[in-house]
Amino acid sequence: MLQLGKKVIVFDGGFGSELERLGLSGIPEDLNITAPEAIQSIHRSYSCADIITTDSFGLNRVKYHGAYKLADVAVQAVKNARAAGRTVFFDVGPTGAMLEPLGTLSFDEAYDAFAEIADITKDIVDGYIAETFSDLYELKACVLALKEHSDKPVFATATFDSTCRTLTGSTPEIVANTLEGLGVDALGVNCSLGPKELMPIVERLVNSTNVPIIVQPNRGLPVLENGRTVYKLGVDEFDEYIEKMLEAGVSVIGGCCGTTPEFIKRISRFSGAEVKKRTVASKTIINSANVLVEIDGVKICGERLNPTGKKALKEALISENYDYLVDEALKQQEAGAHLLDINVGLPQLDEKKVMPAVVKKVQEYCDLPLQIDSSDAAAIEAGVRHVNGIPLINSVNGEEEVMAKVFPIAKKYGAVVLGLAMDKNGVPRTAEGRFEIAKRIISRAADFGIQRHKIMIDTLVVTASAEQALVKETLEALRLVGTLGVKTALGVSNVSFGLPNRPLLNRTFLAMAMTCGLNMPILNPLDGEMTGAVKAFGVLSGDDENSENYIEAYKDYTPTSPSAVISASQKAEKNASSLYDCVKSGLKNKAEELCELELLNKDPLTVVNDILIKALTEVGELYESGKLFLPQLVSAAEAAKAAFAAVGRHMPKDAEPKGKVVLATVKGDVHDIGKNIVKVVLESYGYRVIDLGKDVPAERVVEAYEEHKPIVIGLSALMTTTVRGMEETIAALRAANCTAKIFVGGAVLNAETAERIGADYYTRDALEMAKLLDKLFPTL
């Protein structure tokens, strides 16, 4: 289409700001029906662009609450866009709701909402642009829905903040790897920031993937002047940075908030120009929402979530005690695992049902990428589908039937596949036999469009007690497979089965295997000697540059003390039983129980001040420093909230709770993610929150003030067009002689804007607001 990736393609520009300029108000999507001529005129003003996007950003069953049938609005939106006489892409925005575990919307519910849009429009549009997504998990749901319900091109863009992370903590590299894996036609960034501020993100994107990159910047950040949203950035500067982006290798350009037809007309001069060629080396990469792992050097795969030989884990899976699995996952993460194997294969379990449940539970608390381990293809797909990121699949082998089932799953979801060097005849007794099966797996994967860097090979460990002579064949097979340009894996501890002093054999074999090219040992990360061997190998092989990882692990080591790695393992075991660490880790299901135990020996205020507040403070500091991200922040707040509930039951009967806080997203704005986060955090700090929801008119906020007499009213807005609604709400509260302090927040606000619209305080995030409330109202 339009020579994507070869010739520069130009998208249109801002739409909401054009509506504001024309004086059009109300639900933007409804204007397709109530004011079609005006909508068509805006589209025609962008006819200099190659691709026109529909006025449908908020059109999905979760977010849209207009007066018309969703299908009628969608069809009319496409008709209006066709007035420009150009290629038309349907604009698909996020639901405005938070997906589980941050919110209540499930991955599958989000998928269904996006699939409905595709079903309505697939025969009348030329493609889709999924844009302005701040949550990688929701973006994955959207892309899957569009691709599974339509054969049209899908472009996808995320939004990033000044730290180069999305709201939920994903880096440009993580977004690029995930979207490339899902097979989008173009990927990139829109909205977020101005073109100058987006340059670092653009440079990271073009160096992360060979997929065409699309960039649609804002016209800088807006300011409020005389009640109007004003953008200061000029056409010349916008054009200058767009040219720099094209020089960096961007393929598709356009504009977002604040850009006008004048801006798009200027950059349309690049339409049809040759795209700068770039080649990004292929790497074997897996990722979660927050952590990217390149399988290079030696990376540890934690094996403790596989029930084989683990009675307690079997019982936990059968009883659906998934908190036990979360504890095991966090222990492995703390002890140094780079990824985690998840296997739920028990005869009495429905793997297809249990696998996604475990995946969702583990990734709620643990940052690490996952290896989905099963011999059941249906269970593999169910697990991979619900992974937030790109996982590793364990496994295929040389049997045609197995490869024909698993490779299509890997291709569809972009997963890396672990191939076992065996077939229907079992494990070959020679290294050459295993090498031949590895070549067969790689060749067959290519038939499904799976490139070599998406394949790993396990040359299979045999037990020294039964097949001593074959141990060296496994090691020789590692050397041979390494010549094929793929990474390798081994389940190390199998070698010692049936022999005494198994740890000695395991770590010796591990060292031998690493010298033969082993990239991913599957082992118990809580075994300090095994993980220590990996760290030592990193130094001696040169993979650990300047010995940084080794020094960090052993900086406190003395000959008379346990190693730092063993201490980390012991710490991992301890963390699950401490209320402080339970709050830090966000284990809300255990927080209340552990709090009750603390309250047996401590008074309620001591627990609050010495444990809960301190834990939240540390979480806040980690969040502000970029070491924790939004999912962990919200989980910690939820855990603290559960603990506060226990504290409340032990408070004296006449003890007063903290004051009331009224929260609302203002009229015209249906983005309530930020407001929902504030609610959870404030409740965890002990405040009583009255949540009025989103799209709340000024008079409803005034009514809530008069009814509840709160100490604070918090107003949220994410759209530039609704800052005026926030100003009107504040004015209405002042007219009602409101004595509550008025706080405002949202991506389009700053302290200067807050002062101009009459607010008392502006805070950047939920934790900052909670701390300021405690400072302003110390006696509560």
Side-chain angles (χ1 to χ4, degrees):
M1 64 148 293
L2 295 174
Q3 299 189 65
L4 176 63
K6 296 180 180 179
K7 303 289 186 180
V8 173
I9 297 172
V10 179
F11 265 72
D12 54 12
F15 209 90
S17 46
E18 288 299 288
L19 292 176
E20 184 178 19
R21 182 180 62 81
L22 294 175
L24 296 170
S25 59
I27 297 175
E29 293 74 27
D30 280 358
L31 296 172
N32 283 294
I33 292 179
T34 60
E37 296 84 2
I39 299 301
Q40 290 171 21
S41 72
I42 295 174
H43 288 313
R44 280 193 291 268
S45 71
Y46 283 121
S47 59
C48 54
D50 298 309
I51 296 178
I52 300 296
T53 52
T54 55
D55 174 24
S56 56
F57 179 74
L59 197 61
N60 59 70
R61 67 168 70 162
V62 179
K63 188 174 185 179
Y64 176 67
H65 298 289
Y68 304 95
K69 291 182 179 179
L70 188 146
D72 292 342
V73 179
V75 171
Q76 186 60 44
V78 176
K79 289 180 179 178
N80 290 337
R82 290 288 181 200
R86 314 298 286 172
T87 299
V88 171
F89 269 40
F90 200 87
D91 189 359
V92 183
T95 61
M98 298 171 69
L99 265 63
E100 297 172 337
L102 298 179
T104 58
L105 187 69
S106 73
F107 178 88
D108 295 322
E109 288 171 335
Y111 172 90
D112 289 342
F114 297 126
E116 180 181 23
I117 288 296
D119 287 337
I120 293 168
T121 60
K122 60 186 177 183
D123 295 326
I124 58 174
V125 297
D126 302 308
Y128 296 91
I129 172 70
E131 63 175 355
T132 324
F133 281 78
S134 57
D135 179 358
L136 183 65
Y137 204 32
E138 184 179 19
L139 184 51
K140 176 177 179 176
C142 181
V143 169
L144 282 175
L146 296 176
K147 289 184 68 65
E148 291 178 353
H149 288 257
S150 167
D151 59 358
K152 300 296 172 63
V154 176
F155 293 7
T157 58
T159 61
F160 299 86
D161 61 24
S162 58
T163 69
C164 294
R165 293 263 184 178
T166 66
L167 180 66
T168 52
S170 302
T171 64
E173 293 82 4
I174 286 172
V175 170
N177 192 55
T178 303
L179 293 177
E180 178 180 348
L182 293 173
V184 297
D185 297 275
L187 63 88
V189 54
N190 80 297
C191 202
S192 308
L193 304 162
K196 178 180 179 180
E197 294 78 13
L198 280 187
M199 281 303 300
I201 295 170
V202 171
E203 290 167 355
R204 290 172 66 173
L205 286 170
V206 298
N207 289 315
S208 300
T209 178
N210 289 306
V211 174
I213 300 295
I214 173 174
V215 183
Q216 299 189 90
N218 284 343
R219 184 182 169 182
L221 295 176
V223 296
L224 206 65
E225 292 185 353
N226 300 319
R228 291 186 60 83
T229 303
V230 178
Y231 292 88
K232 299 287 190 177
L233 187 69
V235 173
D236 291 341
E237 185 175 354
F238 188 88
D239 179 81
E240 174 189 350
Y241 280 98
I242 289 293
E243 185 168 9
K244 290 180 179 180
M245 292 174 184
L246 292 173
E247 291 171 357
V250 168
S251 299
V252 186
I253 53 177
C256 203
C257 299
T259 56
T260 67
E262 180 186 8
F263 282 71
I264 304 307
K265 185 175 182 180
R266 173 70 72 87
I267 67 172
S268 68
R269 64 192 174 91
F270 298 114
S271 176
E274 294 287 336
V275 172
K276 182 178 178 181
K277 292 183 179 180
R278 56 191 172 85
T279 302
V280 178
S282 297
K283 300 176 182 178
T284 304
I285 296 173
I286 56 175
N287 63 271
S288 65
N290 303 139
V291 176
L292 182 143
V293 173
E294 180 185 352
I295 308 297
D296 195 22
V298 180
K299 297 297 189 294
I300 296 171
C301 178
E303 67 178 6
R304 288 170 62 93
L305 294 182
N306 185 324
T308 303
K310 301 180 184 70
K311 182 179 178 182
L313 182 58
K314 289 180 181 179
E315 293 174 351
L317 284 169
I318 292 169
S319 63
E320 299 184 10
N321 177 17
Y322 298 150
D323 289 341
Y324 178 87
L325 279 75
V326 169
D327 287 345
E328 290 296 314
L330 292 174
K331 290 173 187 175
Q332 294 182 90
Q333 177 172 294
E334 179 71 30
H338 298 98
L339 67 150
L340 302 180
D341 180 83
I342 294 184
N343 184 307
V344 297
L346 292 174
Q348 56 269 66
L349 295 181
D350 180 353
E351 279 195 69
K352 183 179 178 181
K353 178 182 177 182
V354 175
M355 181 65 85
V358 170
V359 164
K360 288 188 283 187
K361 189 68 174 181
V362 169
Q363 70 185 10
E364 178 178 351
Y365 296 97
C366 182
D367 285 340
L368 298 182
L370 302 178
Q371 173 174 270
I372 306 302
D373 183 359
S374 178
S375 58
D376 183 339
I380 288 174
E381 177 156 21
V384 170
R385 187 176 185 84
H386 290 88
V387 166
N388 190 356
I390 295 294
L392 176 60
I393 290 176
N394 184 0
S395 58
V396 298
N397 57 43
E399 294 183 49
E400 175 58 33
E401 182 181 357
V402 174
M403 291 188 287
K405 288 181 179 179
V406 176
F407 280 148
I409 299 170
K411 176 62 177 176
K412 178 178 180 179
Y413 297 98
V416 177
V417 185
L418 182 59
L420 308 183
M422 61 179 291
D423 56 19
K424 62 182 179 181
N425 297 316
V427 181
R429 297 184 64 80
T430 66
E432 289 77 11
R434 300 181 207 185
F435 180 61
E436 290 301 318
I437 292 176
K439 289 196 292 185
R440 186 194 315 163
I441 291 171
I442 294 168
S443 174
R444 195 71 181 96
D447 294 337
F448 288 88
I450 299 173
Q451 298 180 46
R452 195 167 294 234
H453 69 280
K454 288 285 190 177
I455 296 293
M456 296 180 64
I457 297 294
D458 185 335
T459 58
L460 298 170
V461 175
V462 294
T463 59
S465 60
E467 297 280 7
Q468 186 175 4
L470 298 190
V471 173
K472 64 181 181 181
E473 298 296 328
T474 295
L475 297 176
E476 177 60 20
L478 277 179
R479 289 193 187 94
L480 292 173
V481 168
T483 66
L484 298 174
V486 297
K487 304 303 180 182
T488 57
L490 285 176
V492 176
S493 60
N494 292 339
V495 75
S496 63
F497 186 78
L499 291 171
N501 196 359
R502 293 188 65 187
L504 176 61
L505 287 171
N506 289 343
R507 66 177 180 268
T508 303
F509 178 70
L510 172 61
M512 296 171 68
M514 288 189 292
T515 63
C516 293
L518 174 62
N519 299 114
M520 191 186 79
I522 303 171
L523 52 80
N524 176 8
L526 271 66
D527 185 332
E529 293 187 341
M530 293 288 276
T531 56
V534 172
K535 288 181 170 62
F537 181 81
V539 174
L540 301 177
S541 65
D543 291 333
D544 183 3
E545 189 172 354
N546 298 320
S547 306
E548 290 180 0
N549 295 331
Y550 184 85
I551 291 170
E552 178 63 26
Y554 289 97
K555 61 186 178 183
D556 299 321
Y557 174 81
T558 63
T560 57
S561 71
S563 74
V565 174
I566 294 175
S567 297
S569 302
Q570 293 168 341
K571 182 180 178 183
E573 294 280 1
K574 179 184 176 184
N575 276 357
S577 60
S578 158
L579 175 60
Y580 186 93
D581 288 308
C582 183
V583 171
K584 276 184 58 182
S585 299
L587 300 175
K588 54 182 178 284
N589 292 334
K590 294 187 65 175
E592 190 168 358
E593 173 189 347
L594 292 174
C595 189
E596 288 285 0
L597 292 176
E598 293 285 353
L599 289 165
L600 293 176
N601 303 307
K602 299 181 179 74
D603 67 81
L605 290 179
T606 298
V607 172
V608 170
N609 294 322
D610 291 353
I611 301 177
L612 298 180
I613 296 300
K614 286 183 178 179
L616 283 171
T617 298
E618 183 177 352
V619 168
E621 291 171 350
L622 290 171
Y623 176 72
E624 290 169 2
S625 66
K627 295 178 181 178
L628 285 183
F629 308 104
L630 181 63
Q632 295 94 326
L633 171 64
V634 173
S635 293
E638 288 281 9
K641 179 181 174 182
F644 275 119
V647 169
R649 293 192 293 270
H650 291 260
M651 293 290 284
K653 296 297 182 182
D654 58 350
E656 289 291 330
K658 286 189 174 182
K660 299 177 184 177
V661 177
V662 167
L663 295 180
T665 300
V666 299
K667 178 66 177 176
D669 203 321
V670 294
H671 299 82
D672 62 352
I673 290 178
K675 183 262 299 172
N676 291 343
I677 295 167
V678 170
K679 176 184 177 182
V680 171
V681 172
L682 291 188
E683 287 179 337
S684 76
Y685 271 74
Y687 292 92
R688 181 186 169 193
V689 177
I690 296 95
D691 184 3
L692 303 184
K694 56 191 176 184
D695 193 20
V696 181
E699 56 268 24
R700 175 70 185 96
V701 179
V702 172
E703 290 172 1
Y705 165 71
E706 293 174 343
E707 177 183 354
H708 299 286
K709 297 299 180 184
I711 57 171
V712 164
I713 294 174
L715 302 176
S716 171
L718 191 66
M719 300 168 60
T720 58
T721 54
T722 54
V723 175
R724 186 179 300 170
M726 181 178 281
E727 184 176 25
E728 292 172 353
T729 301
I730 294 172
L733 287 167
R734 299 299 187 205
N737 298 315
C738 173
T739 58
K741 298 297 183 183
I742 300 175
F743 281 61
V744 296
V748 296
L749 296 167
N750 54 35
E752 181 182 1
T753 304
E755 183 178 357
R756 285 177 180 170
I757 64 177
D760 295 308
Y761 297 98
Y762 159 78
T763 52
R764 293 173 301 166
D765 53 52
L767 279 172
E768 185 177 294
M769 182 174 180
K771 292 175 182 177
L772 183 53
L773 285 185
D774 277 355
K775 183 178 179 180
L776 291 172
F777 306 103
T779 59
L780 292 176

